[in-house]
Amino acid sequence: MADAPPHAGCDTDLIVVGGGPAGCAAARMGADLGLRSILIEPDKLCRNLYRIPVLNNVLGGHVSGSELADVITAELTSTDLCRLELGSRVTELRVDDLRASVTLDSGGRLSAPYAVVATGVDPLRPRAVSWITAPDDLALPPIWRAGREAAEGRTLLVAGGDRPAGTFLRAHPTTNTRLLLVFAEPDAHKVEEIRDDPRVTLLPAEHLTLHGDESTITADVVTRNGERLTVTADAAYVNLGNAPAPPPGDLVRGADGYCSPADQRPRVAVAGDLRSPRFQRIMTALGSGSEAALRAYYLAAGVPSDRLTG
């Protein structure tokens, strides 16, 4: 297929929207199958991986996100069949019976017989959850972005009990910091891995009210037993999980905002964290990106879509 021109009237064989692990895996698998692809990413490849100091769910001995990101980036930039459109954002995705088309923020348009969408998720803001009251303009950084300098000798208020708090602590095992981690009942099982860390104070809460800004934080906590506490911290971070970030257009979203692959039209596949909150892991993102490219390859080869399930 590499020696054949793209589908008539299209710019390439496969459009990949998103340059994280899932999107990169889709483009790399596509190249292995002879599919030309255009990968569109508004930042650099694997930008979030570079911000993760410690990995604990990836095979191959990669101990940091930046190490794995370097390997993925090197693989993709050496692939002649993948054209990178870095610094570009997809503002609209349209899908019909013949092709998938995207509009870029530059005003340009690209089309291909198939598309893989792997735009992932963005961190939830405090006001996005019902158990937190916060100022409209309060945008806290996620805890996994906090470095040693931000934590050393300081008290950090962490809103939410998602697993990145454990990643942060493993990345800085000797850092002298104190985490005041306020979490709701749905996250109770996630905080077990950090319960025994002496640097952590767990505050199971019915409600949290945040005051101030990201540099001077006061919080009122109503605990699950009805106790009312006022806590102060040197800085605050969010650890609430993520919200799906699909491009506008023809993707089908569920009630929770995620885009199930089973609900999409045949010429578009969804990969990575955008699929579901249940499988947001690097290994599953890589696998789903490869699977999405394989799906496009089999469809191009004439295999009916109803034979590509299971």
Side-chain angles (χ1 to χ4, degrees):
M1 189 173 294
D3 294 328
H7 191 275
C10 293
D11 298 289
T12 191
D13 300 315
L14 179 68
I15 289 174
V16 180
V17 186
C24 289
R28 188 67 182 88
M29 176 61 77
D32 287 344
L33 299 169
L35 296 175
R36 297 178 176 90
S37 66
I38 299 176
L39 186 150
I40 305 161
E41 165 58 45
D43 205 312
K44 64 181 180 180
L45 296 179
C46 297
R47 67 188 187 279
N48 286 336
L49 264 184
Y50 280 106
R51 298 166 180 162
I52 300 176
V54 175
L55 298 176
N56 67 340
N57 64 348
V58 175
L59 297 174
H62 301 291
V63 296
S64 72
S66 60
E67 180 183 339
L68 178 58
D70 283 342
V71 172
I72 293 174
T73 298
E75 283 275 334
L76 207 57
T77 53
S78 65
T79 302
D80 293 336
L81 291 180
C82 179
R83 170 181 142 198
L84 299 177
E85 286 284 341
L86 302 182
S88 297
R89 184 180 301 276
V90 170
T91 59
E92 186 179 55
L93 168 73
R94 293 299 176 193
V95 185
D96 59 30
D97 292 338
L98 298 177
R99 61 181 57 84
S101 302
V102 297
T103 302
L104 306 182
D105 52 3
S106 63
R109 289 179 61 85
L110 296 168
S111 63
Y114 306 100
V116 174
V117 182
T119 47
V121 293
D122 290 328
L124 280 170
R125 297 182 62 167
R127 285 185 60 84
V129 296
S130 61
W131 62 277
I132 296 180
T133 300
D136 290 336
D137 58 351
L138 184 63
L140 302 178
I143 184 59
W144 50 264
R145 289 187 186 171
R148 178 185 295 274
E149 292 183 0
E152 183 64 41
R154 308 181 78 203
T155 296
L156 309 182
L157 176 67
V158 181
D162 204 23
R163 289 193 172 91
T167 300
F168 166 80
L169 291 166
R170 287 190 297 272
H172 307 289
T174 62
T175 299
N176 178 27
T177 187
R178 182 187 181 204
L179 298 192
L180 302 176
L181 195 141
V182 186
F183 65 99
E185 176 61 32
D187 283 344
H189 66 288
K190 298 179 183 179
V191 303
E192 289 302 317
E193 66 179 72
I194 61 174
R195 183 176 296 278
D196 295 332
D197 193 308
R199 298 171 294 174
V200 178
T201 299
L202 295 177
L203 297 172
E206 289 292 337
H207 197 82
L208 169 68
T209 302
L210 296 169
H211 309 281
D213 55 37
E214 61 268 22
S215 60
T216 306
I217 287 289
T218 301
D220 297 322
V221 182
V222 180
T223 67
R224 291 198 202 126
N225 61 12
E227 184 181 4
R228 295 179 179 272
L229 306 173
T230 297
V231 299
T232 59
D234 298 305
Y237 292 85
V238 68
N239 189 42
L240 295 166
N242 303 298
D250 289 340
L251 283 184
V252 179
R253 302 178 65 166
D256 59 359
Y258 285 89
C259 303
S260 170
D263 294 336
Q264 309 308 316
R265 299 182 67 169
R267 292 191 177 272
V268 64
V270 177
D273 292 356
L274 188 60
R275 300 171 301 157
S276 165
R278 293 178 296 167
F279 304 110
Q280 292 183 358
R281 295 291 188 273
I282 293 168
M283 288 293 283
T284 56
L286 290 167
S288 71
S290 298
E291 181 182 8
L294 277 167
R295 184 178 185 278
Y297 173 78
Y298 286 128
L299 289 174
V303 178
S305 59
D306 60 2
R307 291 175 56 188
L308 300 180
T309 58

